[in-house]
Amino acid sequence: MYPAKFDYYRASSVQEAIQLLQEHEDAKLLAGGHSLIPAMKLRLAQPPALIDIGRIAELRGVTQDNGSIKVGALTVHADVAASDVLQSQCPLLAEAASNVGDRQVRHKGTIGGNLAHADPASDLPAAVLALGGTIHLLGPGGSRQVAAADFFLDLLATDLHEDEVLTAIEVPAISGKTGTAYLKFEHPASGYALCGAAAVVSLNDDGTCAGASLCFNGVTATPHNASAVAAALVGKTLDDATIDQAVNANLSIADPMGDMYASGPYRVEVAKTYAKRALKAARDRA
Amino acid sequence: MTEITVNVNGKSYTREIEPRMLLVHFIRDVLGLTGTNIGCETSVCGACTILMDGQAVKSCTQLAVQADGSDVTTIEGLASNGDLHPVQEGFWEKHGLQCGYCTPGMIMSGVDLLKNNPNPTEDEIRHGIEGNLCRCTGYHNIVKAIQYAAEKMQGGN
């Protein structure tokens, strides 16, 4: 399976990539290529030009600054998963990245490419949403920052403009008694999420819930934020029965996706189970 | 056409290629190294696994231009001076193959796994080769083969 023909350009800086995007209509950015190349081989995508940003060193790596952590867009999943900074201060992102594909895929696939592609069955979108992450974008008009909650617009569609480059993902460092968990029910062959649950649970000193967040991959076209479940947990002592009841009473997912692997209603049932497991795991780690 | 230079198994190759050429076709069709197999072509089965700059990568999901300037190791580059790599030897000793189609990719993944985790548990081996499918379902002996290699590489046996 060969991709259709395209012109190939290699950008040595983000500015050059933006300039090339402006010069070549409908061009696509190539990072790790692990979403784009499969789509091109199936001729689902036939961009006339590819702009290879894969060698721009400034876009790679994890840095921390004043309670927040910035992950360069070209950081591959294996490096996100293995990052000491993320493992200790934002373990949810590391755990979600360790769930992407397999070890070969994690060696090449990038966090920026993953989020820009916005595959609903991927592992990272719900984690970034549950963390309240921010997407950094750079275009001809300068930089802008978009909250994860506003970034994912629809199936494979984001707020990233055609002449912009996604440069980094910013997530807050966890503080206090906070635990996180990402658990997924995956398709056994592809590893894609039929349902992936990302949970963040913060506890007060007396053990009651100070704050929570629960988001899903794989169930809806964009990552689903189960804010009603999270709200129902705040102030409560989180024993198993309380978590089960909060999920049963408050998890409502409109328009779940259905396909040949799993119907929409089935995914919602799986989401209930994984919500409970993820919230309990996050509580235990807090 | 684009000119790329790739170091494959210690030898540098400079070739003119179409940008759309996949790395696995460059390895097989341009360089004639047919040990690397093409399986599913959809980044799932791992038959095309090679090492790119020391890391296991699915060569059906990389463009050859992305490998420009890289060091690539294929199954042909593992043995040295006629001596099999310990992972190759493990597949021989433990009957780690049936039809053999997944074997080159499986071995490259095993090499990558042991480089990062020299003493893996059985569970870590099974998890580590999740990106490689054996259609004969011969995983049991594949795991034994990698365990054999781990022991040998740590000075056992």
Side-chain angles (χ1 to χ4, degrees):
Chain A
M1 287 193 287
Y2 265 61
K5 287 191 176 188
F6 56 84
D7 295 326
Y8 174 81
Y9 303 93
R10 189 178 291 163
S12 53
S13 68
V14 183
Q15 291 303 334
E16 188 184 355
I18 293 167
Q19 194 185 334
L20 286 163
L21 279 172
Q22 289 176 285
E23 289 168 5
H24 302 281
E25 200 177 349
D26 296 330
K28 295 285 275 182
L29 295 176
L30 173 69
H34 273 49
S35 298
L36 181 59
I37 294 172
M40 290 174 66
K41 287 168 71 177
L42 294 168
R43 307 284 171 117
L44 296 171
Q46 299 191 29
L50 284 192
I51 298 161
D52 188 350
I53 58 171
R55 293 160 197 258
I56 303 177
E58 63 189 284
L59 290 180
R60 193 179 298 265
V62 179
T63 52
Q64 53 185 143
D65 178 36
N66 252 346
S68 80
I69 303 163
K70 221 169 167 182
V71 184
L74 284 183
T75 312
V76 297
H77 304 309
D79 291 345
V80 173
S83 160
D84 290 338
V85 170
L86 288 171
Q87 282 184 0
S88 62
Q89 296 181 49
C90 188
L92 181 59
L93 194 58
E95 188 177 14
S98 75
N99 270 275
V100 177
D102 50 54
R103 60 189 295 116
Q104 293 99 312
V105 169
R106 291 192 290 273
H107 283 151
K108 279 291 159 188
T110 67
I111 187 170
N114 179 291
L115 295 174
H117 185 59
D119 190 319
S122 180
D123 295 299
L124 300 182
V128 175
L129 183 61
L131 290 164
T134 305
I135 317 293
H136 290 244
L137 309 170
L138 189 63
S143 65
R144 63 189 182 103
Q145 300 177 11
V146 181
D150 300 322
F151 183 69
F152 301 103
L153 301 180
D154 205 342
L155 191 82
L156 307 176
T158 70
D159 188 37
L160 177 66
H161 297 166
E162 283 194 347
D163 54 3
E164 284 180 324
V165 178
L166 195 165
T167 56
I169 291 86
E170 190 174 345
V171 288
I174 59 170
S175 56
K177 291 179 71 173
T178 298
T180 65
Y182 180 73
L183 296 176
K184 79 166 161 177
F185 183 63
E186 64 180 32
H187 183 274
S190 71
Y192 276 109
L194 289 179
C195 171
V200 181
V201 171
S202 297
L203 301 179
N204 293 310
D205 286 340
D206 64 1
T208 57
C209 177
S213 179
L214 175 68
C215 297
F216 297 99
N217 293 310
V219 184
T220 46
T222 57
H224 177 80
N225 188 346
S227 49
V229 176
L233 296 171
V234 175
K236 306 251 174 69
T237 300
L238 298 184
D239 53 56
D240 285 359
T242 304
I243 289 174
D244 290 347
Q245 196 194 354
V247 171
N248 290 338
N250 297 288
L251 184 60
S252 163
I253 302 177
D255 301 324
M257 296 185 297
D259 58 21
M260 62 178 152
Y261 303 127
S263 68
Y266 175 71
R267 284 175 201 253
V268 173
E269 287 306 309
V270 174
K272 284 182 189 166
T273 299
Y274 275 74
K276 293 167 189 170
R277 291 182 188 172
L279 287 167
K280 289 169 191 172
R283 172 203 62 195
D284 292 344
R285 295 172 185 176
Chain B
M1 300 291 274
T2 305
E3 185 180 282
I4 63 168
T5 299
V6 186
N7 190 308
V8 181
N9 301 331
K11 191 174 166 191
S12 180
Y13 298 89
T14 299
R15 296 287 187 276
E16 289 264 324
I17 56 153
E18 266 194 278
R20 65 173 173 161
M21 175 174 277
L22 299 166
L23 180 56
V24 71
H25 291 301
F26 179 77
I27 291 168
R28 287 178 55 88
D29 303 342
V30 177
L31 303 186
L33 296 169
T34 53
T36 303
N37 282 335
I38 298 174
C40 72
E41 294 214 59
T42 54
S43 338
V44 173
C45 83
C48 64
T49 300
I50 51 113
L51 301 183
M52 188 166 160
D53 295 325
Q55 291 189 314
V57 166
K58 292 180 175 177
S59 61
C60 82
T61 309
Q62 285 289 284
L63 299 170
V65 288
Q66 290 177 280
D68 185 17
S70 293
D71 287 326
V72 166
T73 305
T74 69
I75 188 72
E76 290 94 339
L78 278 189
S80 63
N81 301 324
D83 292 330
L84 294 180
H85 185 282
V87 179
Q88 290 175 305
E89 190 182 310
F91 274 69
W92 176 294
E93 291 292 338
K94 298 295 177 184
H95 196 68
L97 60 150
Q98 292 175 42
C99 86
Y101 202 84
C102 73
T103 308
M106 202 64 91
I107 288 176
M108 300 314 283
S109 279
V111 171
D112 179 74
L113 172 67
L114 293 180
K115 197 175 51 150
N116 291 287
N117 183 359
N119 189 23
T121 63
E122 179 181 338
D123 194 50
E124 285 169 340
I125 293 173
R126 290 183 181 274
H127 193 67
I129 57 170
E130 68 179 331
N132 296 74
L133 302 182
C134 169
R135 192 62 209 274
C136 309
T137 70
Y139 296 104
H140 191 71
N141 284 355
I142 290 170
V143 172
K144 282 188 182 173
I146 295 173
Q147 285 172 326
Y148 173 98
E151 271 183 41
K152 171 136 189 175
M153 289 164 78
Q154 290 196 87
N157 269 8

